[in-house]
């Protein structure tokens, strides 16, 4: 019961959203709150990804840790393709998805993974989408499924990842009270098709640079 599409806004507003997300998206104040980097129920262990991605020790990249609460489950279907390059792209696509969810549900002072895996238009749209949750005092809980993930490469070295999202098993959550609204019914809009472009940076990270999405996508139902 959530979607990742965003409405177009002015460039200045997008820039402001990015600045907010990369510094204090959680609305942290100047108070001396030692617990402001965590939320109740947050898992302080590894990322909650359902399909483990390569660790920093395996690919040599020093990656920011992504921590999701225990009530958030992202299931990435498909597994390894057998092509190391494609697997690396899919792994960073997965990390980007988790970085966006972390920025939504974890009230931390900073969310370094967001900028680590997104840039350009993709970073702007992600920041606007995340900020909309804070502006409306809401979060979410539940399981989101990602499937039919495919990777293709262009002559310029960039990659395209297309995939489907099924959020029928997620529910809106009040950010302040923690109350979950399970009365919200699933709808066709919970099935979204994504087309994303990624570029490999100097550190070896496949960063998403642009994203387009289609709600109520028949190909995902």
């Amino acid at each position: 019961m959530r979607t990742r599409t965003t409405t177009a806004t002015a460039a200045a507003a997008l820039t402001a959203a990015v600045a907010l997300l990369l510094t204090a998206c959680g609305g942290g104040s100047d108070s001396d709150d030692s617990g402001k980097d965590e939320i109740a129920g947050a898992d302080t262990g590894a990322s909650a990804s359902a399909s483990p991605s390569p660790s920093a020790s395996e690919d040599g990249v020093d990656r920011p840790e992504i921590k999701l609460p225990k009530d958030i489950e992202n299931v990435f279907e498909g597994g390894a393709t057998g092509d190391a390059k494609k697997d690396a792209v899919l792994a960073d696509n997965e990390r980007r998805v988790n970085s966006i969810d972390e920025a939504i549900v974890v009230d931390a002072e900073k969310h370094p993974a967001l900028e680590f895996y997104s840039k350009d238009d993709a970073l702007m749209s992600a920041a606007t989408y995340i900020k909309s949750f804070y502006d409306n005092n809401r979060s979410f809980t539940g399981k989101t499924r990602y499937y039919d993930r495919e990777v293709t490469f262009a002559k310029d070295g960039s990659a395209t990842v297309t995939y489907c999202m099924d959020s029928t098993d997620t529910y809106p959550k009040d950010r302040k009270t923690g109350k979950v609204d399970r009365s919200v019914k699933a709808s066709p809009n919970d099935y979204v098709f994504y087309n994303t472009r990624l570029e490999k940076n100097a550190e070896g990270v496949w960063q998403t640079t642009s994203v387009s999405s289609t709600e109520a996508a028949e190909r995902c139902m």
Side-chain angles (χ1 to χ4, degrees), residues 16 24 26 32 34 39 72 76 89 96 104-106 112 119 135 141 187 189 192 194 204:
D32 220 339
S34 61
I39 62 172
I72 301 294
F76 297 90
V89 172
R96 177 183 186 265
I104 293 172
V105 302
V106 178
K119 71 174 185 177
D135 288 346
T141 185
S187 76
N189 284 342
V192 185
Y194 289 93

Side-chain angles (χ1 to χ4, degrees), residues 5 41 62-64 80 142 145-146 185 214:
T5 54
D62 185 14
R63 302 175 181 277
R145 187 167 65 97
Y146 299 90
K185 303 298 182 182
T214 304

Side-chain angles (χ1 to χ4, degrees), residues 54 79-93 95 151 153:
T81 66
D83 182 310
K85 189 175 180 181
K86 286 186 177 182
D87 289 348
V89 172
L90 287 174
D92 280 343
N93 165 258
R95 293 178 178 113
V151 182
F153 294 102

Side-chain angles (χ1 to χ4, degrees), residues 75-207:
V75 178
F76 297 90
E77 298 181 356
T81 66
D83 182 310
K85 189 175 180 181
K86 286 186 177 182
D87 289 348
V89 172
L90 287 174
D92 280 343
N93 165 258
E94 176 180 330
R95 293 178 178 113
R96 177 183 186 265
V97 169
N98 285 338
S99 75
I100 292 174
D101 285 355
E102 180 192 47
I104 293 172
V105 302
V106 178
D107 293 331
E109 280 295 303
K110 296 181 180 180
H111 295 284
L114 186 63
E115 189 177 26
F116 196 84
Y117 295 108
S118 300
K119 71 174 185 177
D120 299 339
D121 290 346
L123 179 59
M124 295 290 191
S125 63
T128 303
Y129 171 70
I130 297 163
K131 187 174 181 294
S132 71
F133 280 85
Y134 286 86
D135 288 346
N136 290 283
N137 190 38
R138 65 188 178 94
S139 180
F140 70 91
T141 185
K143 180 174 72 173
T144 308
R145 187 167 65 97
Y146 299 90
Y147 51 101
D148 290 350
R149 300 190 295 156
E150 296 184 2
V151 182
T152 56
F153 294 102
K155 292 182 179 179
D156 63 1
S158 66
T160 296
V161 177
T162 58
Y163 60 96
C164 290
M165 180 185 79
D166 170 9
S167 62
T168 54
D169 289 329
T170 65
Y171 299 91
K173 184 177 182 179
D174 187 282
R175 183 170 295 279
K176 291 184 178 179
T177 67
K179 183 177 180 180
V180 177
D181 183 2
R182 298 189 181 277
S183 67
V184 179
K185 303 298 182 182
S187 76
N189 284 342
D190 291 318
Y191 295 92
V192 185
F193 175 74
Y194 289 93
N195 189 321
T196 65
R197 183 178 186 276
L198 298 88
E199 296 177 357
K200 191 175 184 179
N201 66 14
E203 287 71 40
V205 178
W206 285 95
Q207 293 181 301

